[in-house]
Amino acid sequence: MTTQFVAFSGGIDSTALALMLPDATPVFTDTGDEFDELLAHVEKFERVTGRAIVRIQGRVVDEQLIPQTLPEYVQEAKFLPNHGARFCTRMFKIEPMNWWLKQRLPAELCIGLRADEPADERVGNLTQLDGLGIRYPLREAGWTRTDCIRMCLTHDLLPRNPVYMARGGCKGCFYKRKAEVKAMVQLVPHVVDELQAREEAVQDERGRYFHMFPNAGASIADIRAQPALFDLSEVYRAAGDSSDKGEACGLFCHR
Ligand code: SF4
């Protein structure tokens, strides 16, 4: 019997796909560098739907899944993933997923590519295993971004990610834009502490400094020294501060 699985990333599209296919098993490959908000969404999906999400974490070595995370590997290898070496996806997403699927063939893996995405923008899973079928049910059904959002909203499962994870992905993802990194610096400094320690741990005698966030064009220490995007104390004015003498509009909005 062919079992159906959904590649679950925790984003809008894969959440909608998992909801569209209530009999399929969602499978989430956890790099070990996931944001708490993403992990909370995985747990919320389970709570709301009563379905279990399979979590796979580790690296495949000699046909075995060994317990290692992406941050641990980066520090051991002293090598950051980058635009020219995207080993992170291969080693901590695709290979563990394939290792897991191989033991469950014949199977069908469903991937959340939408109908309104250009065919060449995201190639999806290129896995080719005998006995594994790959399907794109959102595309087959003509679902667009709006349809996916509507499905997530219907189940109160729309991921509402903060600005520093606007495009999802790992905490230390080299695709992050400068503004996302600067937002992390301001809003989740404890995460940036962890990333800065990781970036500094991979430097060695190679004679150049390797940036975790090449799009930001600076080391994490230097990004932290740059002017902030906005003044947080202006946004979160202390409770009891009466300097803002606006008119109160009513009982419910606290203005
Ligand atoms: S989100 Fe970024 S760092 Fe994480 S696996 Fe994907 S490309 Fe690599």
Short mmCIF file of all heavy atoms in Angstrom, two decimals, residues 113-114 116-124 139:
data_model
loop_
_atom_site.label_atom_id
_atom_site.label_comp_id
_atom_site.label_asym_id
_atom_site.label_seq_id
_atom_site.Cartn_x
_atom_site.Cartn_y
_atom_site.Cartn_z
N LEU A 113 4.13 23.22 -3.64
CA LEU A 113 4.35 24.24 -4.68
C LEU A 113 2.99 24.70 -5.18
O LEU A 113 2.14 23.88 -5.53
CB LEU A 113 5.14 23.65 -5.85
CG LEU A 113 6.61 23.32 -5.60
CD1 LEU A 113 7.26 22.85 -6.88
CD2 LEU A 113 7.36 24.52 -5.04
N ARG A 114 2.80 26.03 -5.23
CA ARG A 114 1.48 26.57 -5.59
C ARG A 114 1.35 26.75 -7.10
O ARG A 114 2.34 26.79 -7.83
CB ARG A 114 1.26 27.93 -4.92
CG ARG A 114 1.40 27.95 -3.41
CD ARG A 114 1.01 29.33 -2.92
NE ARG A 114 1.62 30.39 -3.71
CZ ARG A 114 2.80 30.93 -3.45
NH1 ARG A 114 3.51 30.52 -2.44
NH2 ARG A 114 3.27 31.89 -4.24
N ASP A 116 0.40 29.49 -8.49
CA ASP A 116 0.81 30.83 -8.94
C ASP A 116 2.32 31.05 -8.81
O ASP A 116 2.79 32.17 -8.90
CB ASP A 116 0.05 31.92 -8.16
CG ASP A 116 0.25 31.83 -6.66
OD1 ASP A 116 0.66 30.75 -6.18
OD2 ASP A 116 -0.01 32.83 -5.96
N GLU A 117 3.08 29.98 -8.59
CA GLU A 117 4.54 30.12 -8.56
C GLU A 117 5.07 29.76 -9.94
O GLU A 117 4.66 28.74 -10.52
CB GLU A 117 5.16 29.15 -7.56
CG GLU A 117 4.92 29.54 -6.11
CD GLU A 117 5.64 28.60 -5.16
OE1 GLU A 117 5.10 27.52 -4.90
OE2 GLU A 117 6.73 28.95 -4.70
N PRO A 118 5.99 30.59 -10.47
CA PRO A 118 6.60 30.22 -11.76
C PRO A 118 7.23 28.83 -11.65
O PRO A 118 7.84 28.52 -10.62
CB PRO A 118 7.67 31.30 -11.96
CG PRO A 118 7.27 32.41 -11.06
CD PRO A 118 6.51 31.82 -9.92
N ALA A 119 7.05 28.03 -12.68
CA ALA A 119 7.50 26.63 -12.62
C ALA A 119 8.97 26.50 -12.29
O ALA A 119 9.39 25.54 -11.65
CB ALA A 119 7.19 25.94 -13.94
N ASP A 120 9.78 27.47 -12.71
CA ASP A 120 11.22 27.33 -12.49
C ASP A 120 11.71 28.05 -11.24
O ASP A 120 12.89 28.07 -10.94
CB ASP A 120 12.01 27.84 -13.70
CG ASP A 120 11.66 29.29 -14.01
OD1 ASP A 120 10.73 29.82 -13.39
OD2 ASP A 120 12.34 29.88 -14.87
N GLU A 121 10.78 28.65 -10.45
CA GLU A 121 11.22 29.42 -9.29
C GLU A 121 11.68 28.52 -8.15
O GLU A 121 12.68 28.74 -7.50
CB GLU A 121 10.09 30.34 -8.81
CG GLU A 121 10.54 31.34 -7.76
CD GLU A 121 9.53 32.45 -7.56
OE1 GLU A 121 9.44 33.34 -8.41
OE2 GLU A 121 8.81 32.38 -6.55
N ARG A 122 10.92 27.50 -7.86
CA ARG A 122 11.31 26.52 -6.85
C ARG A 122 11.14 25.15 -7.48
O ARG A 122 10.10 24.82 -8.00
CB ARG A 122 10.37 26.62 -5.63
CG ARG A 122 10.63 27.85 -4.77
CD ARG A 122 9.48 28.06 -3.80
NE ARG A 122 9.29 26.93 -2.91
CZ ARG A 122 8.12 26.63 -2.33
NH1 ARG A 122 7.05 27.36 -2.56
NH2 ARG A 122 8.03 25.62 -1.53
N VAL A 123 12.19 24.37 -7.42
CA VAL A 123 12.11 23.09 -8.11
C VAL A 123 11.50 22.00 -7.23
O VAL A 123 11.15 20.94 -7.71
CB VAL A 123 13.50 22.62 -8.60
CG1 VAL A 123 13.99 23.52 -9.71
CG2 VAL A 123 14.49 22.58 -7.46
N GLY A 124 11.36 22.28 -5.94
CA GLY A 124 10.81 21.26 -5.08
C GLY A 124 11.82 20.16 -4.82
O GLY A 124 13.02 20.32 -5.05
N ARG A 139 -0.67 22.72 -6.77
CA ARG A 139 -0.60 23.10 -8.18
C ARG A 139 -1.69 22.36 -8.98
O ARG A 139 -2.35 22.95 -9.82
CB ARG A 139 0.80 22.76 -8.71
CG ARG A 139 1.05 23.23 -10.10
CD ARG A 139 2.52 23.19 -10.44
NE ARG A 139 3.21 24.35 -9.89
CZ ARG A 139 4.51 24.57 -10.00
NH1 ARG A 139 5.26 23.69 -10.62
NH2 ARG A 139 5.06 25.65 -9.50
#
